[in-house]
Amino acid sequence: MKQIILVLGLVLALGSNGFALERIRIGYSSISGSYIGIWVAHDAGLFHKEGLDDQIILIPSGSQLAQVTVAGEVDVGSLNGSSVMAAALKGADMKIIGNSVNKMIFSLYSRPEIKNVEGLKGKKIGVTRFGSSTDISVRFALRKLNIDPQKDVVILQMGAMSSIMGGLQGGSIDAGVVSPPVLFAVDKMGFKELVNITDMDLAFPNPSLMAQGEIIKKKPELIDKFMRAYVRGIHRARTDKQFTLKSIAKYTKIEDPLILEKAYDLYVGKVLEKAPYINMTGMKNALEDVAKTDPAAKNAKPEQFVDTQFIDRIEKSGLLKELYR
């Protein structure tokens, strides 16, 4: 029996090529359809096929995820690009290596008695955390609609998207910023969509994929393997709807098939990039947002936060042509 267990352990420790798997820790910062590529690649064993022993970790704060990546506790992180820029401006050695999504995908929902944006004045709005993409997007939207986010409303950090939904239900907040699939659940509960931030088409790296500079220099092949598995994960999501719906349900804890279908159709059909291309207009917008609180950002350029070598190699490898022929 002991011999059988040892053999099984050895098999599990080896990749499809027969070599020992290399550990990779992948952090992501929110329960959102933006992370479908990571979820599906993990669940389908696509990282494993690249020779990686992958561990995916939810760290529900972009700034905290940036910190643990700098500390070497995460190898690749997926979080909003402005958090990466803010950390880099403070001396953190990290680069954005790709973007899963290049625009903000959120809506601002309120309690039914609030009939319009003007009705938000003096009210409490829930975001996940200050400086997060929920926070950035709602401040952008409010300013566009002539509501001062500093003076006209009270913005509260709730910690997680599910906590925003709970805050709306319990009455601790009057409105909240949500993304699919939580957005669809909130809508079904009878809350009112006041602002569709997605339709405002705010170009923004949300989320970005980033890695510590030391890993980029010393283990570029690790990131290449991650990239290949990630791109295959997006392709699997596009071509195997039922498998992907199970992954979305697993990580979001949402079981309603209609909500899951809507999340799939939005993210896989309209939002997620086939490969993690970087929209530099979105990067510029992110840097301008960082500049509101960090003067150093005013003299920075978006290009200094980006390393495109990995997405360039994906392009040159022919993998995308192979998958989408």
Side-chain angles (χ1 to χ4, degrees):
M1 179 61 74
K2 287 183 179 179
Q3 287 179 322
I4 293 173
I5 292 172
L6 285 171
V7 170
L8 285 173
L10 179 61
V11 170
L12 290 171
L14 298 177
S16 57
N17 57 12
F19 293 103
L21 296 172
E22 184 176 13
R23 186 180 69 165
I24 185 170
R25 295 157 300 184
I26 304 161
Y28 64 101
S29 65
S30 178
I31 300 297
S32 162
S34 297
Y35 303 97
I36 284 173
I38 290 172
W39 296 343
V40 170
H42 174 76
D43 291 352
L46 299 175
F47 291 115
H48 191 280
K49 287 180 181 177
E50 288 290 340
L52 299 174
D53 176 16
D54 58 304
Q55 179 186 9
I56 63 173
I57 310 158
L58 171 63
I59 300 174
S61 163
S63 56
Q64 186 180 356
L65 178 50
Q67 290 169 8
V68 299
T69 305
V70 171
E73 295 170 17
V74 164
D75 301 302
V76 174
S78 186
L79 64 157
N80 80 74
S82 61
S83 289
V84 181
M85 291 177 168
L89 286 166
K90 289 179 171 61
D93 183 15
M94 58 173 63
K95 294 284 187 182
I96 290 172
I97 57 173
N99 290 337
S100 300
V101 179
N102 279 298
K103 64 185 289 187
M104 290 293 200
I105 309 295
F106 294 107
S107 282
L108 176 62
Y109 270 78
S110 72
R111 301 182 64 77
E113 58 267 26
I114 299 175
K115 303 300 182 184
N116 51 44
V117 177
E118 282 292 315
L120 285 172
K121 289 187 175 180
K123 299 296 193 296
K124 298 174 182 176
I125 299 176
V127 299
T128 52
R129 291 186 184 274
F130 299 141
S132 70
S133 49
T134 55
D135 184 41
I136 293 165
S137 62
V138 76
R139 291 176 192 272
F140 166 84
L142 291 173
R143 283 191 292 266
K144 284 279 186 181
L145 297 166
N146 298 314
I147 301 290
D148 189 332
Q150 297 291 112
K151 299 176 181 178
D152 294 336
V153 297
V154 178
I155 296 178
L156 301 175
Q157 53 181 358
M158 306 298 288
M161 197 73 67
S162 57
S163 301
I164 293 173
M165 182 168 64
L168 284 169
Q169 287 177 293
S172 62
I173 54 175
D174 304 293
V177 186
V178 287
S179 64
V182 173
L183 182 156
F184 301 126
V186 166
D187 190 81
K188 190 175 181 180
M189 290 172 186
F191 294 100
K192 179 182 178 65
E193 184 184 57
L194 283 185
V195 185
N196 187 317
I197 300 171
T198 303
D199 286 350
M200 298 178 87
D201 210 26
L202 171 59
F204 207 89
N206 183 50
S208 292
L209 298 169
M210 63 88 163
Q212 186 192 43
E214 194 72 7
I215 291 175
I216 290 173
K217 293 170 191 170
K218 294 186 176 179
K219 294 184 177 180
E221 72 287 345
L222 179 74
I223 301 176
D224 283 330
K225 290 175 183 177
F226 166 85
M227 281 292 207
R228 288 196 296 268
Y230 178 84
V231 168
R232 289 185 185 278
I234 291 292
H235 178 261
R236 177 69 181 267
R238 288 172 175 268
T239 55
D240 192 340
K241 184 173 183 177
Q242 292 308 309
F243 184 91
T244 305
L245 289 173
K246 288 178 183 176
S247 278
I248 298 171
K250 174 181 173 182
Y251 294 99
T252 64
K253 310 300 182 187
I254 290 174
E255 298 179 359
D256 187 314
L258 182 59
I259 292 173
L260 295 172
E261 287 264 353
K262 284 183 175 181
Y264 177 91
D265 290 344
L266 174 66
Y267 278 101
V268 178
K270 299 177 181 179
V271 174
L272 286 166
E273 302 279 356
K274 288 182 179 179
Y277 298 113
I278 297 173
N279 179 322
M280 293 309 294
T281 299
M283 297 294 292
K284 181 174 179 290
N285 288 341
L287 188 58
E288 287 175 356
D289 185 78
V290 175
K292 292 170 187 171
T293 54
D294 187 345
K298 295 176 181 178
N299 298 318
K301 294 183 178 180
E303 291 79 8
Q304 75 188 62
F305 303 96
V306 171
D307 190 331
T308 62
Q309 63 171 301
F310 305 101
I311 189 64
D312 288 345
R313 282 200 284 273
I314 286 288
E315 284 270 282
K316 292 173 184 175
S317 72
L319 176 59
L320 291 169
K321 289 182 180 178
E322 173 194 325
L323 293 174
Y324 292 99
R325 60 188 170 191

